[in-house]
Amino acid sequence: MKADIRVALVGNPNTGKSTLFNALTGLNQKIGNFPGVTVDKKIGYTQLPDGRGAEIIDLPGTYSLYPKSKDESIVFSVLAEKGGELKPDLVVVILDATNLKRNLLLYTQVADLKIPVVVALNMIDLSKKAGIKIDINLLAEKLGVPIVPIAARKLQGIAELKTAISYANKFALQQESIDVRAIAPEMVDAISKENNIDVPYLALQLAHQHETLKFLTPAESDRIEDLEQQFSFHSQKAQGAETIARYNYINDLLYDTVKTPQTAYDESHSNKIDKILTHRVFGFIIFMGILLFMFQSIFAWSAYPMSLIEDLFVWAEGGLRHILPAGPLADLLIDGVVAGLSGVMVFIPQIAILFAFISILEDTGYMSRVTFMMDKIMRKVGLNGKSVVPLIGGFACAVPSIMSTRTIENWKDRMITIMVTPLVTCSARLPVYTLLIALVVPNKNVWFIFNLQGLALTGMYVLSLVSAVLVAYVMKFVLKARERGYFIMELPVYRMPRWNNVLFSMYDRAKTFVLEAGKVIIAVSVILWVLSSYGPGNRFQKIDQKYSQPQYAQSMKPDSLKRVISSEKLENSYAGVLGHVIEPVIKPIGFDWKIGIALITSFAAREVFVGTMATIYSVEGDADKIDSVQDKMRHAKNPDTGQPVFTLAVAFSLMMFYAFAMQCASTVAVVYRETKDWRWPAAQFAYMTVLAYGASFLVYHLLK
Amino acid sequence: MQTTLSQLEVGETGIVKEFSDLEMSVKLMEMGCLPGEQIKVSRIAPMGDPIAIHVSGYQLSLRKFEASTIILQ
């Protein structure tokens, strides 16, 4: 859609900005990144009543133009950049009618930037219910801007807002709120003159933020710094003076326009809920209950759609196999690309469900209570109250959990959470654990009720949480904080979740995951396919020749012959050769070259281990009898010693390796996407591999 | 003897006088904790920290440390 006018949405967090954005643009939106930074950029299109098209940019929620997080720093740079590619023609400032005083601070700052403003006065229904009387006409007259009362959740006032947007350029600019120049007159004048700026507030903001603004050249930034020195400008003191002046203006403004009853209805209502939900005993019990429910649902509800997706891919692979002429191209397409795709798609249900829960918890206002309750405990190990949710989500899958760390504003807390989340036992480790435990741990009860195998599995889960906490604790000292840690957070009033928003969030996250992580996953799958389908020199030809001799065709059934050929080919493939190459490295932790192949092939996803084992060990034992993987592994003997390969020591060493090693292409991809820096996934891969090797070594030598 | 916000019990109120930390004061003032504003402690987290206060018509949570930089009248 062509845009004739660009509109930016600006507002405090929890004011319904996203709801308004969705109401204005519907499905006509896309998500990208702001140029040069990882922060989500939401852009949508809408048709105005006069027939023009408007592009709507949803800027991150912020309490002021002075940024506290990387997300928030976007707001000022988009609004201020002269001729910037996203510079809006009009700003819609969304204000929460139930909390006008604090909301108006941001309005006055935006208004002073002299970009035309329209005010969307949201939650007008709630403020009426709470008995707040707002004289909208008088307020609009005093501010000098059109004010449109809306109720975004109920889709009220949206058409009126569009009309106001379409009249944007036809009325006078808003009134000045405070005398900005008075804060630092000489410096503001000097900066204005040198940079050719006719808006005093813009000049003042440049003095505050020049160090982080990308659109200033280093020379311009240095010059502003010089001017600050010259006029001895103190950023924090000036900001304090400005804030006080703005609130004085706001108090004057509200004096005869807004009448608020002593206690707002919502606040007292919320207070009652909080008495239970943040209670020192019930609070934690309810939180545990919610997590348990979430955790169970992710497993339970995703099982059916996941198997449906798997079946769909099996069907598609079969169909393609039928249509395409047999050959390397078909194999690459089916075993590489389609198999890789199925590995991506199968996560969609878990991602969608996890994000549905997270957006419900956020929408209702409960998430900030979790942060409130858990902050002290999590802070001790270098995490944050908000780290709880990704860690628990990690039991299902690290991928959506890492995506959910966006809600953590503090850079250091977020990075630590991203770094430790993959340690939590995810569902992909389950098949590996169950296979190995069943192999070496006797299925018998101890102390009447505890099953040994069950205890071993529980142990692996507990180990994962303990290791995540320990690693976080270590990283607390390793990582240097970029900003001083503080915790000043609004506890919004409880509200019903916006179901539309929940659906949007599920759809958005799943789509982003498939598109972004998918590219990398397919690439890795294709590489792995090539490695395991081709061998150096003419080894494959020799195998084909060997098995085409008549004695094999006579003594073996076609099926088992095929299996023997494929496993011998795997041995001689590049992956097999790599297995031999890495054997000296993995010998000290008890693995032979065959396990080495499995380690390599299961790099993309841990559950591949089971399938690889099945192929490799089909060589041994009675070829006529199709054994289960478990039986094959049980009968596997070390050719040198004649002893079984999978002893207690080897099995537990392997489990340790799978517990700690990264071995998940999806996680690598998503960590890269979230940090936009290859060093993070690389560091994570390195530390986890070292941990895995160390733990395996220790366990192998203790149990040997 | 100065009283700071961190010394108040649940349900007690006070009026902001000044701040002992410049950097924190800027962030707190933006959130509506201004000199002359009335503050009421609405609850304390189960582990004793952070606390939640009622200020400027909404609920704000902050750590005890940050609360200790707010000096009351």
Side-chain angles (χ1 to χ4, degrees):
Chain A
M1 201 188 282
K2 208 181 129 294
D4 302 297
I5 175 171
R6 180 179 289 134
V7 180
L9 284 188
V10 172
N12 284 187
N14 310 309
T15 49
K17 218 159 48 65
S18 302
T19 314
L20 175 62
F21 179 75
N22 290 340
L24 282 172
T25 61
L27 283 170
N28 217 332
Q29 49 178 270
K30 59 176 192 244
I31 296 181
N33 276 317
F34 284 101
V37 281
T38 54
V39 179
D40 272 354
K41 177 177 79 174
K42 278 165 77 181
I43 287 191
Y45 298 92
T46 193
Q47 194 84 37
L48 296 177
D50 60 2
R52 287 186 299 167
E55 182 184 83
I56 316 273
I57 309 172
D58 189 19
L59 292 174
T62 183
Y63 293 102
S64 89
L65 289 183
Y66 294 98
K68 294 194 190 67
S69 71
K70 221 174 171 183
D71 270 35
E72 293 179 0
S73 65
I74 298 299
V75 181
F76 177 70
S77 57
V78 167
L79 296 184
E81 186 175 4
K82 211 179 233 179
E85 62 175 295
L86 292 169
K87 172 131 186 173
D89 306 305
L90 171 77
V91 178
V92 172
V93 177
I94 179 162
L95 302 178
D96 175 351
T98 64
N99 188 4
L100 265 182
K101 192 171 177 178
R102 197 204 59 217
N103 275 251
L104 276 167
L105 178 76
L106 179 64
Y107 162 82
T108 63
Q109 293 179 336
V110 174
D112 286 347
L113 284 178
K114 304 281 179 196
I115 306 167
V117 172
V118 168
V119 166
L121 193 59
N122 195 21
M123 308 197 204
I124 199 74
D125 50 334
L126 295 176
S127 74
K128 271 188 193 136
K129 214 158 115 191
I132 302 171
K133 290 192 176 64
I134 306 173
D135 187 340
I136 293 176
N137 291 331
L138 185 60
L139 190 63
E141 194 183 307
K142 284 189 160 194
L143 295 176
V145 296
I147 299 182
V148 185
I150 63 167
R153 286 187 188 218
K154 295 180 179 167
L155 299 180
Q156 285 167 8
I158 305 299
E160 290 82 351
L161 182 62
K162 284 186 186 177
T163 309
I165 292 172
S166 71
Y167 289 144
N169 311 331
K170 299 192 177 85
F171 33 66
L173 217 53
Q174 57 273 4
Q175 312 275 331
E176 292 239 340
S177 62
I178 59 165
D179 184 5
V180 169
R181 243 189 98 255
I183 293 168
E186 292 111 332
M187 190 198 65
V188 167
D189 289 346
I191 293 177
S192 302
K193 203 173 150 219
E194 291 208 8
N195 293 276
N196 202 13
I197 296 170
D198 50 6
V199 180
Y201 192 52
L202 186 57
L204 183 68
Q205 278 284 358
L206 286 188
H208 284 291
Q209 300 197 39
H210 65 92
E211 277 161 359
T212 52
L213 290 172
K214 290 201 168 64
F215 60 81
L216 290 177
T217 63
E220 283 172 330
S221 177
D222 288 347
R223 185 62 199 136
I224 292 173
E225 183 69 45
D226 288 345
L227 289 172
E228 278 184 47
Q229 298 286 337
Q230 191 186 329
F231 298 107
S232 45
F233 174 75
H234 190 292
S235 178
Q236 280 170 350
K237 279 183 189 158
Q239 198 188 327
E242 182 193 326
T243 309
I244 290 175
R246 290 194 183 284
Y247 271 112
N248 282 338
Y249 168 77
I250 292 166
N251 282 334
D252 276 355
L253 190 74
L254 294 181
Y255 181 75
D256 53 358
T257 53
V258 177
K259 294 274 169 289
T260 313
Q262 211 48 23
T263 28
Y265 164 79
D266 259 356
E267 183 65 29
S268 60
H269 192 65
S270 236
N271 209 16
K272 281 182 196 145
I273 304 177
D274 262 341
K275 279 211 172 102
I276 302 163
L277 290 188
T278 61
H279 187 272
R280 63 179 61 222
V281 181
F282 302 128
F284 284 114
I285 295 174
I286 292 167
F287 176 47
M288 283 301 156
I290 289 174
L291 285 183
L292 205 69
F293 177 71
M294 196 169 125
F295 183 28
Q296 293 288 328
S297 318
I298 289 169
F299 273 118
W301 300 347
S302 67
Y304 182 71
M306 280 174 97
S307 66
L308 205 72
I309 293 170
E310 274 171 350
D311 290 348
L312 199 75
F313 271 95
V314 168
W315 174 82
E317 280 174 38
L320 279 173
R321 186 75 71 195
H322 197 71
I323 299 165
L324 295 170
L329 186 69
D331 286 346
L332 172 70
L333 211 64
I334 295 162
D335 299 333
V337 178
V338 178
L341 258 183
S342 78
V344 182
M345 301 295 194
V346 89
F347 284 119
I348 292 176
Q350 288 193 339
I351 287 179
I353 294 169
L354 186 64
F355 273 100
F357 272 107
I358 286 171
S359 82
I360 291 171
L361 293 184
E362 295 231 316
D363 257 18
T364 50
Y366 183 69
M367 201 71 110
S368 52
R369 269 72 182 184
V370 171
T371 314
F372 179 66
M373 283 197 293
M374 300 299 287
D375 182 67
K376 191 172 182 189
I377 308 171
M378 302 306 276
R379 205 174 354 143
K380 290 208 166 107
V381 296
L383 295 167
N384 179 301
K386 290 190 180 177
S387 313
V388 175
V389 175
L391 285 184
I392 299 301
F395 279 123
C397 178
V399 173
S401 306
I402 286 171
M403 285 157 77
S404 73
T405 60
R406 298 240 185 99
T407 54
I408 303 173
E409 298 95 355
N410 184 284
W411 175 85
K412 182 174 168 177
D413 294 350
R414 180 170 178 231
M415 284 305 159
I416 296 182
T417 310
I418 289 178
M419 293 298 267
V420 302
T421 296
L423 287 171
V424 178
T425 300
C426 66
S427 55
R429 285 166 173 116
L430 202 56
V432 180
Y433 289 168
T434 40
L435 176 71
L436 291 168
I437 287 174
L439 203 62
V440 293
V441 178
N443 187 7
K444 68 174 186 196
N445 286 2
V446 282
W447 305 313
F448 307 108
I449 48 165
F450 295 108
N451 179 284
L452 262 185
Q453 294 188 337
L455 276 182
L457 190 63
T458 311
M460 295 305 292
Y461 273 91
V462 172
L463 174 80
S464 76
L465 270 187
V466 171
S467 61
V469 167
L470 287 179
V471 171
Y473 186 71
V474 173
M475 286 197 174
K476 181 182 161 184
F477 298 103
V478 175
L479 278 188
K480 293 277 168 286
R482 289 186 191 175
E483 62 239 48
R484 182 170 160 189
Y486 64 92
F487 181 89
I488 298 171
M489 184 188 71
E490 181 181 0
L491 292 179
V493 291
Y494 287 104
R495 296 220 163 94
M496 279 302 285
R498 297 156 292 176
W499 299 109
N500 265 337
N501 196 45
V502 173
L503 286 178
F504 267 123
S505 161
M506 286 170 80
Y507 170 76
D508 272 0
R509 299 304 180 184
K511 194 174 98 180
T512 316
F513 168 71
V514 170
L515 293 182
E516 297 287 328
K519 281 182 234 162
V520 179
I521 292 167
I522 289 175
V524 172
S525 311
V526 169
I527 292 168
L528 278 180
W529 174 83
V530 172
L531 287 180
S532 51
S533 311
Y534 291 93
N538 56 355
R539 289 190 192 191
F540 275 36
Q541 269 174 304
K542 281 186 183 155
I543 295 168
D544 282 334
Q545 277 168 10
K546 178 176 151 199
Y547 286 103
S548 60
Q549 282 163 8
Q551 73 260 31
Y552 288 104
Q554 280 158 13
S555 67
M556 292 168 90
K557 287 180 183 166
D559 272 2
S560 31
L561 185 65
K562 216 169 149 188
R563 270 213 316 281
V564 170
I565 293 173
S566 72
S567 62
E568 195 155 322
K569 279 189 174 172
L570 184 67
E571 267 184 68
N572 284 285
S573 69
Y574 289 104
V577 173
L578 271 176
H580 278 289
V581 169
I582 67 168
E583 196 174 24
V585 181
I586 57 176
K587 203 140 203 169
I589 53 175
F591 305 162
D592 61 7
W593 67 269
K594 289 182 182 171
I595 298 175
I597 298 182
L599 292 188
I600 293 170
T601 56
S602 64
F603 168 77
R606 295 178 177 92
E607 53 272 50
V608 175
F609 172 81
V610 180
T612 311
M613 283 286 131
T615 320
I616 297 174
Y617 285 105
S618 57
V619 158
E620 280 147 32
D622 187 354
D624 283 340
K625 208 172 108 228
I626 300 174
D627 285 340
S628 70
V629 189
Q630 207 185 323
D631 286 333
K632 276 174 199 149
M633 288 167 70
R634 184 166 288 138
H635 296 138
K637 296 266 191 308
N638 183 326
D640 301 331
T641 60
Q643 296 296 309
V645 173
F646 290 95
T647 59
L648 189 73
V650 171
F652 269 92
S653 173
L654 254 179
M655 276 198 275
M656 286 302 146
F657 200 86
Y658 277 83
F660 289 110
M662 187 100 157
Q663 288 194 294
C664 180
S666 326
T667 308
V668 175
V670 85
V671 171
Y672 170 66
R673 196 190 117 71
E674 291 300 314
T675 58
K676 278 284 182 301
D677 185 344
W678 274 113
R679 282 176 296 183
W680 287 107
Q684 189 171 34
F685 186 82
Y687 101 77
M688 288 180 73
T689 308
V690 169
L691 259 189
Y693 196 87
S696 292
F697 188 84
L698 206 73
V699 164
Y700 180 64
H701 286 274
L702 280 176
L703 293 178
K704 198 169 68 168
Chain B
M1 182 63 197
Q2 283 179 334
T3 314
T4 67
L5 174 61
S6 60
Q7 291 162 318
L8 295 192
E9 301 288 330
V10 174
E12 289 184 338
T13 56
I15 290 170
V16 180
K17 186 180 164 202
E18 57 191 352
F19 303 90
S20 59
D21 180 312
L22 182 62
E23 185 189 345
M24 217 54 85
S25 75
V26 170
K27 296 183 162 70
L28 287 166
M29 283 198 292
E30 270 185 355
M31 300 301 283
C33 296
L34 291 135
E37 277 291 327
Q38 196 185 54
I39 289 180
K40 180 181 176 190
V41 176
S42 32
R43 72 195 79 256
I44 296 177
M47 312 294 290
D49 194 14
I51 64 170
I53 58 170
H54 188 85
V55 65
S56 292
Y58 79 107
Q59 200 177 176
L60 181 72
S61 73
L62 67 171
R63 287 179 183 160
K64 277 255 168 89
F65 168 73
E66 283 117 28
S68 72
T69 69
I70 301 179
I71 298 164
L72 303 174
Q73 274 179 14

